[in-house]
Amino acid sequence: MRWLFSPALRPLTVLAGLASLVLNLTLLVPSLYMLQVYDRVFASGSLETLVMLTLVAALSLVLMYFMDTSRAAALAAAGRAFERRLGPRTIDLLIHDASRFGGARRASLARDAGLLRNFLTGNGIFALFDAPWLPVYLVVIYLFHPMMGLAATACALILFTLVYLNERLTKALTEETLRKSTEATRFIDAATRNAEVVTGMGMVPAVVARWQQINQGLVDANRRLGALTIPIGGFVRAFRASTQVVILGIGAWLVVEQHLSPGVMIAGTILLSRALQPVELLITGWKALIEARAAWRRLSEMPDPRAQPVRVELPAPLGRLEVERVVFGAVAQRPPIIRGVSFTLRPGETLGLIGPSASGKTTLARLLLGIWTPSTGSVRLDGADIAQWERSALGRQVGYLPQDIELFAGSVADNIARMQAPDSAAVVLAAQQAGAHELILRLPQGYETSLGEAGSAISGGQRQLIGLARALYGEPRLVVLDEPNASLDRDGEAALAAAVAGLKARGCTVVVIGHRPSTMQMVDTIGVLVEGVLKDYGPAEGILDKYSPRPTAVPKALGT
């Protein structure tokens, strides 16, 4: 378990190891106390001896308590240190990974982090710290009598052989079970995220049936794993019980032959039982140990998205956007999603992107914002490739309203401020620019109103306007709006048009993606995207006149 000695955990692990050493030495005391009572107190009948032995035993038990709690505290602190070190990095990577093309390939990392944290603060890890002190117990038993020591050593070797066999036999099945469990969990997460659709369209029986099909693979994997672990675990428990019989039998024979005293016989039996207990726990808890080890391996192999070279901080952009022969999304034999798109927008210009569904409009929006990286070509903001910008610095200069508005559980102000400490003046200004100020004031607690999970406490139109205010927060220089009026009524569309006009007036570059002709009335230029190719590009009036009058052309160019 090299991961326990990683730099972040090493001091706490060493402290827990030292506490385990003292703890296991104090655990010898009850057996030695019994030995002395049998061999000295009973033989001499001295109550003074009994009192002194009892006092020493009591002090050692107090020390044992402090060592036990110290070890637990050290491991709990290791769990917190792990959380501080890898927790933010894990969430950072998950967000970056989910935003990439194909996304969410490392969705199990959050589960891995929780699994390791729980392992560090659970009871299973104590066996790892207790098992190495088995030789100390064996040495003491050897001192009692070599024959008892040999028998105890043979029992320990058999148990360690079982540990090795358990590892070799169950490793692959344990990892398969973990994969099946992750797959089932992901499906349940997807079903709950789409609960309204699943319920509204009568998909519940089909979804449940699909989950049963996926879960059956998990059940089968658990059954095969249990077919190995249950017999091994049962044999280990039976064998450890038999070791007591063996040692007690050998000890009794030695007592009869007058090589040992009864006290030594009983003390040796208790010591061996205590020594082998952690080994048994290792075997019965081997699945958790393998899970923790695999989780650490996956977490240690993950890249750190924040570990990037220090970049020169670029000045705040004016908003000149240049798209140069951008190609994106070529996979195997499939054609690219975006194919050779080029255009230029000056600060204060507004572009509308239209086209059929699946023509690549949203993909192009993500490329403009630097969320995805072009396969070839470049997207430049004020002459600098957008990939050259440090992500958080770029984020302050751009605003994005996606098709699917996802708000966070928190207040309206928190969401508009992009989950940072809200700047009250900037929050109100963004809401006013988005036309959302009045509707926010009508909410129960105004800007402090809690939106609930994913903004469930408000309507779709309210979510869209608050999402627009979030995009405008901090007065960005480039704003991309994807279907910004999908959930808006007439008043909402008027507020949107006013917001775009305000952005244009202050020199912000705006890209609007939409299907409705009314959305395109607020832009200067329109680009028609068809199958990833910019088929047409020009003044808005000319493009709308070209495509809108012919009903048959509307589905083809504008989509439905």
Side-chain angles (χ1 to χ4, degrees), residues 340-421:
V341 171
S342 298
F343 61 83
T344 299
L345 294 176
R346 295 187 298 273
E349 286 190 337
T350 54
L351 169 67
L353 282 176
I354 61 176
S357 296
S359 60
K361 301 186 298 297
T362 296
T363 298
L364 183 56
R366 291 167 178 161
L367 291 167
L368 298 181
L369 293 165
I371 299 172
W372 292 352
T373 303
S375 304
T376 61
S378 63
V379 177
R380 297 183 179 276
L381 185 61
D382 277 23
D385 192 310
I386 208 161
Q388 296 177 10
W389 285 79
E390 196 275 324
R391 188 69 246 180
S392 59
L394 176 63
R396 292 192 294 270
Q397 306 299 332
V398 301
Y400 180 38
L401 181 66
Q403 283 187 26
D404 301 319
I405 308 297
E406 287 286 350
L407 300 178
F408 291 92
S411 69
V412 174
D414 289 336
N415 276 273
I416 293 177
R418 306 183 181 185
M419 305 311 292
Q420 304 167 19

Side-chain angles (χ1 to χ4, degrees), residues 95-330:
I95 294 172
H96 278 78
D97 199 54
S99 67
R100 291 165 54 190
F101 181 60
R105 289 181 291 275
R106 297 187 181 94
S108 63
L109 288 182
R111 176 184 178 277
D112 289 339
L115 188 152
L116 260 183
R117 182 179 60 252
N118 293 335
F119 181 76
L120 282 170
T121 56
N123 292 324
I125 194 170
F126 294 148
L128 281 177
F129 284 90
D130 289 336
W133 306 113
L134 172 62
V136 175
Y137 292 88
L138 294 180
V139 168
V140 175
I141 296 173
Y142 267 106
L143 293 176
F144 288 165
H145 196 280
M147 187 175 293
M148 290 184 68
L150 287 172
T153 302
C155 292
L157 289 175
I158 292 173
L159 275 183
F160 276 112
T161 301
L162 290 173
V163 170
Y164 174 77
L165 290 176
N166 190 54
E167 148 76 2
R168 301 292 295 177
L169 294 174
T170 63
K171 181 179 178 180
L173 280 174
T174 300
E175 292 181 349
E176 180 186 357
T177 302
L178 290 175
R179 288 194 301 272
K180 297 289 186 181
S181 177
T182 300
E183 183 181 357
T185 301
R186 287 177 180 173
F187 185 83
I188 292 172
D189 289 343
T192 52
R193 284 197 308 270
N194 296 277
E196 292 183 3
V197 172
V198 170
T199 303
M201 300 179 66
M203 296 167 58
V204 173
V207 169
V208 171
R210 178 63 62 87
W211 173 82
Q212 287 178 317
Q213 180 182 352
I214 295 172
N215 192 62
Q216 187 59 45
L218 175 60
V219 171
D220 291 341
N222 272 321
R223 177 181 53 78
R224 293 194 300 272
L225 181 61
L228 286 174
T229 57
I230 291 174
I232 292 176
F235 179 79
V236 168
R237 287 188 291 272
F239 177 76
R240 197 169 78 84
S242 69
T243 60
Q244 293 180 272
V245 175
V246 170
I247 295 298
L248 190 60
I250 293 174
W253 176 72
L254 291 172
V255 170
V256 171
E257 294 293 323
Q258 297 184 348
H259 296 295
L260 287 180
S261 66
V264 172
M265 174 190 71
I266 296 176
T269 304
I270 294 174
L271 278 180
L272 181 62
S273 176
R274 175 65 189 85
L276 296 183
Q277 183 182 16
V279 183
E280 179 188 355
L281 291 176
L282 279 179
I283 296 175
T284 55
W286 197 254
K287 180 181 177 183
L289 194 61
I290 289 181
E291 288 178 346
R293 185 177 63 186
W296 176 264
R297 185 179 65 250
R298 289 189 292 268
L299 289 169
S300 62
E301 290 173 353
M302 69 181 182
D304 188 349
R306 296 171 295 173
Q308 298 177 354
V310 177
R311 297 175 178 176
V312 174
E313 185 174 350
L314 298 175
L318 297 176
R320 179 179 177 83
L321 183 66
E322 299 169 274
V323 180
E324 302 174 346
R325 300 181 298 279
V326 167
V327 176
F328 177 79

